[in-house]
Amino acid sequence: MQADLAEGILFTDQYQLAMAQLYFVEGIHDRGAHFDYSFRSYPDYGRHQAGYCVYAGLGWLLDWMETARVGGAELAALRSQTTAQGAPRFRDEFLEWLEADGHFGDVELHSVAEGRVVHPLVPLVTAAGPLAMTQILETSLLNHLNYQTLIATKASRVAEAARGSVVLEFGMRRGAATGVNAGARAALIGGARFTSNTGISHVLGIDPKGTHAHSMVQAFIARGGTELDAFRAFARVYPDECVLLVDTVDTLESGVPNAITVFEELARAGHRGLGIRLDSGDLAYLAIQAARRLDAAGFTDTQIVLSNNLDELTIWQILSQIEEEADRYGVDASRLAARLVYGVGTRLITSHGRGALDGVYKLVAVEDDGGSVVPTMKLSDTPGKQPIPGSKELWRIYDERGNATADAVAMVGEQLDGVELRLHHPHRAGLSRTLAPGEVSSVERLRDVVWADGGRTEALVSVDLMRARRVADLTRLDPGVRRIIGPHIYHVSITEEVRRVRDDLRAGIAGG
Amino acid sequence: MQADLAEGILFTDQYQLAMAQLYFVEGIHDRGAHFDYSFRSYPDYGRHQAGYCVYAGLGWLLDWMETARVGGAELAALRSQTTAQGAPRFRDEFLEWLEADGHFGDVELHSVAEGRVVHPLVPLVTAAGPLAMTQILETSLLNHLNYQTLIATKASRVAEAARGSVVLEFGMRRGAATGVNAGARAALIGGARFTSNTGISHVLGIDPKGTHAHSMVQAFIARGGTELDAFRAFARVYPDECVLLVDTVDTLESGVPNAITVFEELARAGHRGLGIRLDSGDLAYLAIQAARRLDAAGFTDTQIVLSNNLDELTIWQILSQIEEEADRYGVDASRLAARLVYGVGTRLITSHGRGALDGVYKLVAVEDDGGSVVPTMKLSDTPGKQPIPGSKELWRIYDERGNATADAVAMVGEQLDGVELRLHHPHRAGLSRTLAPGEVSSVERLRDVVWADGGRTEALVSVDLMRARRVADLTRLDPGVRRIIGPHIYHVSITEEVRRVRDDLRAGIAGG
């Protein structure tokens, strides 16, 4: 499969290499350039929409930048490319340059920290460095950040719907090939507590989770045994981690009673049955009925794991139904909710309803022939698609209560602390908001240099730290913005100065 | 990132390993077992639905099976897993067994050939072998086959909509991490002619394709140059592969006239401008206007590459609009359609509208204590979800015209040639169809042994061969089944004998 060749520096769109050669031939490959990464809109899942995103993927992008090199295999591959006329597509001088300088040693990356809550239209990352290598970086950067941010965002929504209950990532059988490893990582950053993916759990230092499949029960039955035999065998091997899948034969008539029998046997042997899993049928109804039977047998804390096409909406529906119906069966709804665990598979790993984040990477400044770095923009874009030109900084502004009230793009060097802030909508003229110093409790610079001098500037960040960043940001976010349906729109804005630079440039291009 | 650990034998759901240990402790890990892979339904994209799928992913599954081994890193990882009580989760005896026997040397895989047109509810693959290892195979098998079949199917739909024009796969920046390599491969099998993904193109021996980005034009403008300067520079470096992106400044006022100027210069130098690319705006309208200007300048064959959120519906819409409007501008609609090339990105690599194939892998037979392999099934499933028990064979039946008229599941050893066939719907009782020998031109056994004795049974299959299989199958498929909206339902069925085995087993489990 030659995975190495397909995952190293050639993990890129062909046109990046074509442009790099053109820059080389033109002698502008080493000109300083700034590219901004931003996404254009929150994921809209159809009946529901995100009001914020969780930024993820940076750590693996930096891993890639550390190892992506033009080695012998890459050179041979590029040398083998020819035009229809049989001429080599890449010139020897360019390939020699690429072999020597085709790395990210001179690129500097400014980025928001992974795990943070982020918003559209503002530069989450700026890549500054030689034009050719910042260009070649594009595809891999977009690939890593778009997908992991998409999945971390979905996971955060699922976790919000689950109201503090444990969420398990179960999606590897339906996700995109090895991309499920990135997806599991992003889910863990965004809100899943564990994943069933064994390999990636070990890479990230998180315990993998799993129970058993229907096939185990079937194997016992086919041999002339029973579901109870299968459960007992499982309890013998896993007395302290016994979660039993109860829907192979009949959930309430067979699975739950057999699980209770086994949990009683475990209790007599000094162990504690951990839980049951429901994987089909009306999960809310079955959870209530299972809880009732478990309660009656004295197993009031046993987990009830739910799975089967779950996402934020189905979890919300399940909890609403439990709130309405549990009481009728003598089950306490909130105690039942507290013992639920959610196994979320396909709809998390594929971000059901919106399968891609619309992140883009745009040239915003480039060094001119005189050595000055000048802003640039693509004029033909509709205003909402126009990136903000120039070298900028990203700030978060907290109100008197300490809540995040706006993200603001400023020019590098602008002072935001202690002054009256006039903030403009990024592209809708006339929409502005003024914040007096007294309305602002603090301003936070959201980006730091994460890559310089050929390496990352800080040690590897743990999943736990990224989760802590997310949780801290969520507590400082207006609850309306966190709603899973029809969220409030968070303010993203540009300063007066940024607006001036952009409007001047726009007028200059249009006039020139 | 320790990609090796996360992509080898531990590229699996944790519960597979938990079950394998249980089978080992019970002494049934070496019992013969049969698992079937099938998908439950054609992808339904919302406003449009697939009437067939293109089977893909097998080659990479076999690659994985060849290399997935329990080595030192895997053993150390599994040995490090402990329960909450601190006890090792995996026993030494099991890990020793896993180190020695944790490979697929005793598994036999029967499968449809990659690239073939396939249908739901029938076993596309059967894995036969020791219970523990066929169980461990599940996750990786589902992961490879579900995603690549999903994308190959989408690509085939896009190619159908494009009516023979070239489709380019452009999705790596928005797909799922390294999963985009599998996605590009599947797209190439399913109908994309080329991909922009450089690395995977080299792995598969296909020329990568790409033009340039807006940033290249911006870089020239920021330096005080013009779009024309940028185009000329591109033409100098790529005189025989000059495809120019014309929408950075203004498509019709600047991009197209500048492209024509450069193509004229190229022509004078003995080269031929290859094409222009449109990446924004009303693509149908702009294609007509661009064609008109190119025609007027004598460039009647120059390609017009379209990109920007394309999928099968948008391509269909673009072609319909061209058919309606082209004439009004003196442009021949069918000649214009013939020069179009489609760059399809996000919506192909993510299978827009339906982000996952619902493929499952179910235990259908297992060796009992007496050494007989007996059928098994999970009774609680709804009929549509019940896999067909027992050891079966898959056939395709061709009618008098040579068109595929039904796929039929038979028991191993059943004779289908030259006899009257009574075919039943897989789960809807009472729905059957009888085919007299005269109505059948041929029957084809769809599956072969693709893996035995620890290795693949045939050499690596080229993308070209897989494409040829798809094209051959499509020509033998009813055009109604190929429609991209509201397709006819293709007949999938089971023989009288399969129905008897299943009904007997169902009655036996229900009664027993």
Side-chain angles (χ1 to χ4, degrees), chain B residues 127-426:
Chain B
L131 180 58
M133 289 314 297
T134 46
Q135 184 75 64
I136 286 176
L137 180 60
E138 176 175 24
T139 302
S140 181
L141 181 146
L142 288 173
N143 174 278
H144 282 95
L145 302 183
N146 280 337
Y147 177 63
Q148 289 203 40
T149 300
L150 179 79
I151 302 307
T153 300
K154 189 75 167 180
S156 187
R157 295 169 60 72
V158 169
E160 300 253 18
R163 305 183 203 165
S165 285
V166 169
V167 172
L168 309 172
E169 190 284 307
F170 274 2
M172 72 184 303
R173 62 189 54 199
R174 299 265 173 86
T178 48
V180 297
N181 287 338
R185 176 181 185 271
L188 292 169
I189 295 169
R193 193 83 64 92
F194 302 101
T195 171
S196 65
N197 182 327
T198 306
I200 208 63
S201 290
H202 281 289
V203 169
L204 299 175
I206 287 174
D207 197 37
K209 291 290 176 193
T211 58
H212 65 83
H214 300 112
S215 54
M216 186 201 87
V217 176
Q218 284 177 261
F220 277 78
I221 292 175
R223 291 169 58 217
T226 62
E227 185 184 56
L228 184 59
D229 294 336
F231 285 2
R232 281 182 170 139
F234 195 82
R236 276 195 300 276
V237 184
Y238 304 107
D240 295 310
E241 298 191 311
C242 187
V243 179
L244 299 168
L245 177 62
V246 293
D247 70 339
T248 305
V249 180
D250 184 301
T251 301
L252 297 179
E253 296 304 314
S254 173
V256 172
N258 283 333
I260 288 173
T261 299
V262 170
F263 293 161
E264 285 167 343
E265 292 167 2
L266 277 173
R268 285 196 288 276
H271 298 282
R272 192 170 146 272
L274 215 55
I276 61 167
R277 178 158 77 98
L278 302 170
D279 188 45
S280 57
D282 179 341
L283 295 178
Y285 174 78
L286 291 172
I288 294 169
Q289 299 306 329
R292 198 178 158 194
R293 287 158 173 78
L294 288 164
D295 285 350
F299 298 107
T300 53
D301 293 326
T302 314
Q303 290 176 356
I304 299 176
V305 184
L306 306 182
S307 56
N308 193 20
N309 270 321
L310 297 186
D311 64 10
E312 63 270 53
L313 281 200
T314 48
I315 291 173
W316 192 32
Q317 172 57 40
I318 285 166
L319 286 173
S320 300
Q321 192 179 332
I322 285 173
E323 273 163 22
E324 276 178 38
E325 291 184 11
D327 201 40
R328 191 184 316 161
Y329 299 101
V331 171
D332 183 87
S334 56
R335 289 203 47 226
L336 171 51
R339 74 199 289 181
L340 294 179
V341 170
Y342 303 92
V344 183
T346 308
R347 291 178 173 218
L348 171 52
I349 205 86
T350 64
S351 183
H352 184 71
R354 175 60 54 165
L357 186 75
D358 57 0
V360 295
Y361 178 86
K362 294 292 179 188
L363 183 66
V364 292
V366 66
E367 191 181 337
D368 67 15
D369 293 350
S372 315
V373 174
V374 297
T376 167
M377 69 194 302
K378 173 169 168 277
L379 199 62
S380 71
D381 275 331
T382 48
K385 285 181 134 192
Q386 277 180 349
I388 306 164
S391 299
K392 303 163 304 286
E393 200 43 272
L394 179 61
W395 298 85
R396 182 156 294 167
I397 297 158
Y398 296 91
D399 64 16
E400 315 92 299
R401 300 166 303 165
N403 271 4
T405 186
D407 282 11
V409 183
M411 298 311 292
V412 166
E414 266 196 88
Q415 175 64 34
L416 269 71
D417 216 352
V419 298
E420 181 179 274
L421 292 172
R422 180 101 191 270
L423 302 177
H424 298 270
H425 188 279

Side-chain angles (χ1 to χ4, degrees), chain A residues 10 13-15 18 26 77 81 89 135 143 172-173 178 196 199 202 207 215 236 238 241 247 357 380, chain B residues 10 13-15 18 26 77 81 89 135 143 172-173 178 196 199 202 207 215 236 238 241 247 380:
Chain A
L10 298 190
D13 287 300
Q14 171 77 6
Y15 79 174
E26 287 290 305
Q81 288 194 22
R89 187 174 286 146
Q135 184 76 65
N143 174 279
M172 72 186 301
R173 63 188 55 198
T178 49
S196 65
H202 281 290
D207 197 36
S215 54
R236 276 196 301 275
Y238 305 106
E241 298 190 310
D247 70 339
L357 187 74
S380 72
Chain B
L10 299 190
D13 287 300
Q14 171 77 5
Y15 78 174
E26 286 290 305
Q81 289 193 22
R89 187 174 285 147
Q135 184 75 64
N143 174 278
M172 72 184 303
R173 62 189 54 199
T178 48
S196 65
H202 281 289
D207 197 37
S215 54
R236 276 195 300 276
Y238 304 107
E241 298 191 311
D247 70 339
S380 71

Side-chain angles (χ1 to χ4, degrees), chain A residues 388-389 409-411 414 422-432 494-506:
Chain A
I388 306 163
V409 183
M411 297 312 291
E414 267 197 88
R422 180 99 192 271
L423 301 177
H424 298 270
H425 188 280
H427 54 81
R428 281 193 216 138
L431 276 183
S432 74
I494 58 176
T495 62
E496 188 84 12
E497 176 66 7
V498 170
R499 193 174 73 142
R500 197 190 53 72
V501 169
R502 189 196 53 194
D503 291 354
D504 285 357
L505 181 69
R506 203 184 273 170

Side-chain angles (χ1 to χ4, degrees), chain B residues 28-90:
Chain B
I28 58 170
H29 53 292
D30 274 335
R31 291 287 174 90
H34 292 195
F35 283 86
D36 278 356
Y37 170 74
S38 58
F39 62 95
R40 285 170 170 162
S41 58
Y42 300 112
D44 181 334
Y45 309 94
R47 295 170 297 170
H48 46 126
Q49 310 77 32
Y52 66 89
C53 285
V54 175
Y55 178 59
L58 178 67
W60 281 16
L61 170 65
L62 301 182
D63 286 345
W64 181 85
M65 290 172 72
E66 279 175 352
T67 56
R69 286 288 178 280
V70 182
E74 286 79 8
L75 274 182
L78 295 179
R79 202 164 270 139
S80 75
Q81 289 193 22
T82 58
T83 67
Q85 290 73 23
R89 187 174 285 147
F90 294 108

